[in-house]
Amino acid sequence: MNKVKILITGIVALFIIGLIAIAATVFVYVHTLWVIVVLFVAVFVIDACFGFYILNSERHFYTKTCWLFALLLLPLVGCLIFVVFGTIPMTRKKWREYNNNQAKYVRFENYTYSNLLRKSSGSDVNLFMYSLNSSLKPIYLNNNIRVIESNSLLYKEEIELIRSAKEFIHFETYIIHDGFFFRTFCAELIKKAKEGVKVRFLYDWYGSYYRFKKRQLKELRQAGIEVAIFNPKGINMFKGTTNYRLHRKALIIDNKKAIYGGSNIGDEYLSMDATKYYWRDQNYVVEGEIVNTINVGFCSDWVDFTDYSLDKRQRKEFINNLKSVLNIHKGNNKINMQLVSSSPNYAEKGVLNTMNNLFIRATKSIKLITPYLLPTDLLLSALTIASWNGVTVEIIVPGRRDNKDFIIHMNRTNYQRLLDTKCKVYEYNGFIHSKYIVVDDQFVLTGSSNLDFRSLWINFENALLVDNQQFAKQMSRCFEDEKNNSIVVTQDLINCERTIKTKIKDLILSTYKPLL
């Protein structure tokens, strides 16, 4: 009997334990299911809110698409990445706010000639009105511009110009790359600083990251040279500010002359780096009133975007003495020039819109050289429409890469549309870093800006708009020289490129095309 009771008790106990286990399992399952449901809804709502914010933000369509794809591919994680790298740390100022901010600099410009042109009429004048009205960029007449014919001559011109300085030297660049060019350049700056010439040296931290030794800048500072870092690293390495880069390049001497163009400081820009393919770039010696506008841009970059590398005393002293460095000097030639600027802290995209203006106004020819052919749909449409309208459109791009393995492939993704509309595309036998547009052998737009999303939307860029037939024809001859060292892109070349492998590359790279 006891055995039966024990057996029955055991069976009942096992039954109760089983019921408890089943109930616990059901409870845990139901609870987990609710947790999963709640988490799923929360992730969906958070992603939806971020997506709604991105769709209504002031970004390019392609950029919005990229971020929406990131949210779709990586729910919640994509939101975290967007918070760190996607939020815009600079307010894109509207017209009035931006111009009020620039007032402390542009008061040193002269608008007499600009106001005379404003009263004139004609498409030539209207082309300059855009930047005059939108960015307060004056048009100057008393200027000279001279093409630096080769990379090796760039070194000679820069050294000679530095040695001619009497009052001050202002220099800004994107890349500093240690080597013969940089060390000689620094040695010349140190000599001038010891002679009493005021030297200010500004570079972008990202472009120069790990390309030179810190002790080299220490030597500059010990010689009395003021060195500032644009958008310094530190916390900026881990947020969206990393994307905002100083891509402008200029060497300004006494506000009288400047070397202006696309070259940074590195041996590759002199074609002296054996690890690089033959490197071609285009630079100019500019003299006259327009140098003041180039220097105004430098002053703005120096004061407004170097918060962590200049002390308050230096900044205040510089602002109080702006008049000493912004003193207009006339050149002995009559060439219409205007500096066009673009930056992420202003809603107007000056370089992009000026390019579009030029393409729309073209009636005979467009000659374009760029290392990166990743235009916005707006510019690509303007080029193809011009070609259909009977304008001869010719484009030269690199046939060899720089340090970006993907760039040749990405350039080629636009060939088909260009060739379909009768545009002519050439690949240079080397890497061509030149950036200029010649329209109707009358207008030239040249400077630091590439034809890609980064230059047109994200970077701090400059471009010089020149209205002069003689200079435009000289640049057309330069274009023909580069064309003679290039191969024509044909349909056969495009067909050979369209393999399954390249199509897969297209799909992958196109997801972050706006950041290239």
Side-chain angles (χ1 to χ4, degrees):
M1 185 68 181
N2 290 335
K3 290 181 180 181
V4 174
K5 286 183 179 180
I6 292 171
L7 181 62
I8 293 172
T9 303
I11 292 172
V12 172
L14 288 173
F15 180 75
I16 293 172
I17 291 172
L19 286 177
I20 293 172
I22 292 170
T25 302
V26 170
F27 176 78
V28 170
Y29 175 76
V30 172
H31 182 70
T32 304
L33 184 62
W34 275 107
V35 169
I36 291 172
V37 170
V38 170
L39 285 176
F40 179 81
V41 172
V43 169
F44 174 80
V45 171
I46 292 170
D47 266 23
C49 290
F50 272 83
F52 184 79
Y53 172 78
I54 291 169
L55 281 173
N56 287 279
S57 63
E58 293 183 358
R59 288 173 170 80
H60 191 274
F61 170 77
Y62 274 122
T63 308
K64 294 179 181 181
T65 305
C66 289
W67 281 116
L68 290 175
F69 178 73
L71 297 184
L72 179 66
L73 187 67
L74 301 168
L76 203 58
V77 176
C79 296
L80 179 61
I81 295 172
F82 176 78
V83 168
V84 177
F85 295 107
T87 51
I88 302 174
M90 291 180 183
T91 304
R92 285 186 176 143
K93 299 179 176 67
K94 301 301 182 184
W95 179 84
R96 189 178 301 279
E97 185 182 3
Y98 177 82
N99 288 331
N100 286 342
N101 185 64
Q102 291 294 303
K104 60 180 175 286
Y105 307 110
V106 299
R107 63 194 174 96
F108 296 103
E109 297 276 29
N110 187 331
Y111 291 91
T112 304
Y113 183 65
S114 302
N115 292 330
L116 286 175
L117 285 183
R118 198 193 296 271
K119 297 174 183 177
S120 306
S121 60
S123 59
D124 291 1
V125 173
N126 292 341
L127 187 59
F128 287 97
M129 290 301 107
Y130 167 71
S131 283
L132 175 63
N133 294 326
S134 66
S135 305
L136 300 180
K137 293 291 187 289
I139 308 106
Y140 285 119
L141 175 63
N142 300 297
N143 306 292
N144 303 323
I145 184 167
R146 177 166 54 84
V147 176
I148 299 175
E149 299 290 348
S150 67
N151 292 6
S152 57
L153 283 176
L154 172 65
Y155 171 79
K156 177 177 177 290
E157 295 280 0
E158 292 213 347
I159 298 304
E160 286 182 356
L161 206 59
I162 290 172
R163 289 175 178 174
S164 71
K166 303 296 182 186
E167 300 174 18
F168 67 87
I169 298 171
H170 287 169
F171 174 72
E172 64 180 342
T173 191
Y174 176 56
I175 291 174
I176 299 171
H177 200 171
D178 190 18
F180 168 79
F181 190 12
F182 177 53
R183 295 185 183 193
T184 311
F185 188 84
C186 289
E188 293 295 332
L189 291 180
I190 289 172
K191 286 180 186 177
K192 297 308 293 187
K194 289 180 178 179
E195 292 174 11
V197 174
K198 189 66 178 178
V199 182
R200 296 181 177 90
F201 188 106
L202 175 62
Y203 72 96
D204 184 88
W205 83 265
Y206 184 92
S208 304
Y209 194 50
Y210 274 125
R211 293 178 185 261
F212 66 94
K213 295 179 177 62
K214 290 182 179 179
R215 63 175 176 77
Q216 292 169 302
L217 292 185
K218 186 178 179 181
E219 291 173 2
L220 293 178
R221 290 190 173 102
Q222 287 174 343
I225 295 173
E226 291 184 22
V227 179
I229 308 170
F230 187 92
N231 189 13
K233 61 176 183 176
I235 192 63
N236 287 331
M237 295 176 68
F238 308 103
K239 62 182 184 181
T241 313
T242 298
N243 264 333
Y244 296 163
R245 301 165 192 173
L246 176 70
H247 201 245
R248 298 166 180 159
K249 298 104 177 174
L251 173 65
I252 305 160
I253 307 296
D254 297 338
N255 217 41
K256 296 178 181 179
K257 290 185 178 181
I259 288 184
Y260 180 82
S263 288
N264 297 290
I265 300 296
D267 288 353
E268 61 269 34
Y269 296 94
L270 303 181
S271 299
M272 292 176 59
D273 190 339
T275 65
K276 306 286 186 184
Y277 293 104
Y278 177 71
W279 195 291
R280 181 74 182 96
D281 214 333
Q282 194 69 66
N283 297 278
Y284 316 87
V285 177
V286 181
E287 182 180 4
E289 297 168 325
I290 194 64
V291 176
N292 193 66
T293 307
I294 298 173
N295 199 17
V296 163
F298 172 88
C299 294
S300 175
D301 294 338
W302 183 265
V303 173
D304 296 337
F305 302 104
T306 56
D307 290 348
Y308 301 100
S309 56
L310 281 180
D311 61 42
K312 291 181 179 180
R313 180 190 59 80
Q314 284 178 310
R315 183 174 284 101
K316 186 176 181 180
E317 181 182 341
F318 183 72
I319 293 173
N320 291 338
N321 291 284
L322 277 174
K323 189 175 182 179
S324 65
V325 297
L326 294 173
N327 185 18
I328 297 174
H329 300 271
K330 292 184 178 182
N332 57 15
N333 210 340
K334 303 293 183 183
I335 301 177
N336 280 335
M337 291 189 189
Q338 182 184 46
L339 192 72
V340 180
S341 294
S342 186
S343 64
N345 68 323
Y346 185 29
E348 278 296 316
K349 300 303 169 191
V351 177
L352 169 68
N353 293 332
T354 301
M355 285 183 182
N356 192 51
N357 258 341
L358 279 168
F359 296 157
I360 290 172
R361 293 170 185 275
T363 58
K364 298 175 184 177
S365 63
I366 297 172
K367 297 169 185 176
L368 188 157
I369 291 185
T370 181
Y372 310 132
L373 185 64
L374 301 170
T376 63
D377 279 345
L378 178 71
L379 291 182
L380 194 56
S381 294
L383 283 170
T384 55
I385 290 170
S387 184
W388 282 130
N389 285 340
V391 176
T392 301
V393 179
E394 297 179 292
I395 302 170
I396 299 177
V397 293
R400 298 289 185 272
R401 65 175 179 82
D402 56 353
N403 60 326
K404 302 178 181 68
D405 293 332
F406 57 82
I407 196 59
I408 301 299
H409 175 77
M410 287 305 297
N411 284 349
R412 289 175 176 174
T413 59
N414 292 300
Y415 288 178
Q416 188 66 65
R417 185 172 172 186
L418 291 166
L419 263 62
D420 285 346
T421 53
K422 310 304 178 184
C423 297
K424 297 175 183 177
V425 182
Y426 305 86
E427 284 190 348
Y428 185 75
N429 292 321
F431 182 74
I432 192 160
H433 195 251
S434 306
K435 316 154 199 301
Y436 62 84
I437 302 166
V438 185
V439 173
D440 295 341
D441 282 340
Q442 180 67 43
F443 297 100
V444 177
L445 185 71
T446 183
S448 64
S449 184
N450 300 308
L451 208 67
D452 62 0
F453 283 84
R454 176 165 293 285
S455 280
L456 299 174
W457 280 84
I458 304 174
N459 287 344
F460 289 77
E461 300 280 6
N462 276 343
L464 197 61
L465 179 60
V466 183
D467 175 11
N468 182 264
Q469 197 172 78
Q470 184 179 352
F471 177 67
K473 287 182 176 179
Q474 183 182 10
M475 294 308 298
S476 289
R477 288 193 293 271
C478 292
F479 184 91
E480 292 301 317
D481 289 341
E482 313 298 11
K483 197 166 72 172
N484 290 335
N485 289 316
S486 307
I487 61 169
V488 181
V489 173
T490 63
Q491 189 62 51
D492 290 340
L493 174 64
I494 294 176
N495 292 339
C496 289
E497 283 287 311
R498 300 303 294 162
T499 63
I500 294 175
K501 184 178 179 180
T502 58
K503 289 179 181 179
I504 293 173
K505 278 186 179 179
D506 287 351
L507 292 173
I508 295 172
L509 289 173
S510 63
T511 59
Y512 60 94
K513 181 179 177 181
L515 299 180
L516 297 178

